[in-house]
């Protein structure tokens, strides 16, 4: 792998940037791999990378039916935080946040991770009680988190309306300073390039059409490019997990919904943090390019259409204008939807299945991007050992039958 | 944006008047106390989640406030039919073109019998 550096940039300038090496190969599928990862989004590519890097398993294929990071990895609002309520979730997301901090160096790829802080606003007495409870829980788990009040909020975000005139006055917020945003595409590309350099085969336009299962043990997949064998298969297929599971005769406790986001025209710097509000239901940040990135709730119905409904756009923008009256005349540029696989307890599934050798990493719902490194890291360890990593273990699919749910609806940025 | 026919109001109304309520035709176990954890968890949480034809429960929330069912394609979003509670769909993944009323009734009775027989103590 050609390493990127300032010196390299200068050197390539001399040849008009025409001689950069391709970031990853385009190999033909082998007949057999040690591990197959189904799904070439951020989580799948991270899984492949950590398999190769931490566990020395380099005979790995990533099967992607479209192109890398063309699904939810490229369709989210790039927020990274770890202020979750329950111990299990806090451990998982905080593990991820730790990996984010060194990710650009680790991958030799600038993922533009920017710890600009994330604020979750409270607008009612109950909101504030919930915020205080969560902040205390966070601190007990070593997650940096504090309660701040309107004066401090106004200092951090001068354009926000903290007056009492607002229909839903802002009473305070939880504030995680170490949270922030990252560049989503770069995360997929960085992991792909680094995994490829370690020998992982990244197979795009390779769609899994079925599983080969004998005596309850998986031993390969059917794809549109022929059969590929492996006795360990990890499915990391987000919104399509239900469809993939059905191919293996499994049912998952998931519902797939469209979640949309939109960006405005580029503006001069006006907002240098991330603001989320559960109560008025919207979240917003500004990219380095200047676009406001805005998101809100899912469409309530099941859908695979990768587009959202206009009524949701309207509700979202109402919420944003409620908090930021000065944004009322900002024009929106683009709007898109991703398909999020939501679980009843708003926590992911990292689990073995009834089929031996077949693992699922799904159910991240509306907040998977932040977990990309941690998810890949613990899922790779689980695939390598055949046993779930201790951080992943509580997220077994069995919890929906045993009742050991991890209810994180309160810590989701906005209610879904 | 959907334009939904409410089978009770017999009118096409804007999507904003309605709320989706998840998969339709899920029978609550008649005796929850005698369910195993497996059965109860499956009833509460496990869903079909198909990419394609899906039967779902909706409520005409700011209209007549009645619950009804919609058969809809979850990929194209096309609404194929709406029908009242207690009725069975004419269009399904097995019959994407729909089926005649008598055929439908016959199949539904058979389906129903099969399902009830399959899950002891469970009634649709």
């Amino acid at each position: 792998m050609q390493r990127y550096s300032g010196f390299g940039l200068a050197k390539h300038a001399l040849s008009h940037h025409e001689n950069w090496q391709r970031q990853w190969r385009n190999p033909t599928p082998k007949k057999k791999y040690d591990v197959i990862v189904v799904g070439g989004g951020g989580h799948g590519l991270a899984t492949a990378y950590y398999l190769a890097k931490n566990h020395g398993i380099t005979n790995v294929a990533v099967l992607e039916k479209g192109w890398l990071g063309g699904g939810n990895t490229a369709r989210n609002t790039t927020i990274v935080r770890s202020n979750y309520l329950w111990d299990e979730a806090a451990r998982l997301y905080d593990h991820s946040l730790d990996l984010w901090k060194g990710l650009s160096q680790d991958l030799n790829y600038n993922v533009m991770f920017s710890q600009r802080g994330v604020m979750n606003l409270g607008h009612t007495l109950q909101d504030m009680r919930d915020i205080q409870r969560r902040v205390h829980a966070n601190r007990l788990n070593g997650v940096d988190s504090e309660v701040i009040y309107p004066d401090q909020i106004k200092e951090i975000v001068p354009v926000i309306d903290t007056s009492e005139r607002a229909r839903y006055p802002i009473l305070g917020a939880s504030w995680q300073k170490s949270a922030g945003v990252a560049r989503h595409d770069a995360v997929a590309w960085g992991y792909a390039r680094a995994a490829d350099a370690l020998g992982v085969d990244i197979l795009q336009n390779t769609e899994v059409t079925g599983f080969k299962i004998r005596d309850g043990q998986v031993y390969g997949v059917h794809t549109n490019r022929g059969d590929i064998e492996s006795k360990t298969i990890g499915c990391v297929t987000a919104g399509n997990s239900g469809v993939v599971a059905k191919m293996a005769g499994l049912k998952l406790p998931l519902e797939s919904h469209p979640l949309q986001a939109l960006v405005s025209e580029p503006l001069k710097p006006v907002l240098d943090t991330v603001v989320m509000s559960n109560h008025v239901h919207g979240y917003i940040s500004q990219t380095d390019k200047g676009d406001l990135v805005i998101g809100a709730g899912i469409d309530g119905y099941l859908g695979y259409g990768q587009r959202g409904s206009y009524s949701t756009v309207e509700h979202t923008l109402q919420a944003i204008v409620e908090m930021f009256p000065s944004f009322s005349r900002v024009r929106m540029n683009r709007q898109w939807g991703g398909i999020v696989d939501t679980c009843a307890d708003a926590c992911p599934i990292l689990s073995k299945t009834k089929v031996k050798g077949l693992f699922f990493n799904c159910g991240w719902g509306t907040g998977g991007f932040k977990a990309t490194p941690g998810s890949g890291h613990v899922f790779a360890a689980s695939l390598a050992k055949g046993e779930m990593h201790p951080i992943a273990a509580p997220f077994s699919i069995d919890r929906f039958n045993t009742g050991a749910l991890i209810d994180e609806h309160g810590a989701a940025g906005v209610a879904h | 944006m959907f334009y939904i026919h409410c089978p009770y109001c017999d009118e096409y109304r804007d999507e904003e008047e309605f709320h989706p309520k998840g998969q339709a035709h899920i029978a609550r176990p008649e005796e929850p106390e005698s369910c195993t954890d497996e059965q109860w968890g499956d009833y509460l949480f496990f869903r079909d989640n198909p990419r394609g034809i899906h039967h779902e429960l909706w409520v005409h929330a700011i209209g007549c406030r009645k619950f009804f069912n919609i058969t809809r394609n979850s990929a194209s979003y096309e609404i194929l039919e709406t029908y009242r509670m207690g009725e069975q769909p004419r269009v399904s993944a097995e019959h994407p073109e729909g089926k005649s009323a008598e055929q439908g009734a016959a199949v539904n009775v058979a389906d129903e019998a099969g399902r009830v027989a399959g899950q002891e103590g469970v009634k649709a």
Side-chain angles (χ1 to χ4, degrees), chain A residues 65 240 242-243 251-256 258 300-305 307 309 311 315 344 354 400-401 405, chain B residues 1-2 15-16 20 22-23 37-38 41-42 45-51 54 56 58 72 74-77:
Chain A
K65 72 170 176 176
N240 281 302
V243 177
K251 207 167 171 181
L252 297 174
L254 294 177
E255 285 193 356
S256 295
Y301 48 79
L302 193 81
Y304 287 87
R307 60 186 183 275
S309 67
S311 50
H315 290 309
K354 285 171 195 156
F400 295 95
N401 291 112
L405 301 182
Chain B
M1 178 66 83
F2 296 129
E15 174 188 336
E16 285 273 86
Q23 188 178 330
D37 286 352
E38 188 91 347
D42 287 355
F45 300 121
F46 287 74
R47 296 293 178 260
D48 288 343
N49 203 19
R51 188 190 189 108
H54 184 234
E56 49 201 30
W58 287 66
R72 196 174 57 87
S74 67
S76 71
Y77 291 3

Side-chain angles (χ1 to χ4, degrees), chain A residues 23 45 58 103 227 259 323 328 342 353 356 364 367:
Chain A
Q23 297 198 10
L45 292 164
T58 56
L103 195 61
D227 292 1
L259 173 63
M323 293 185 282
S328 65
T342 55
T353 63
K356 217 168 155 238
W364 289 93

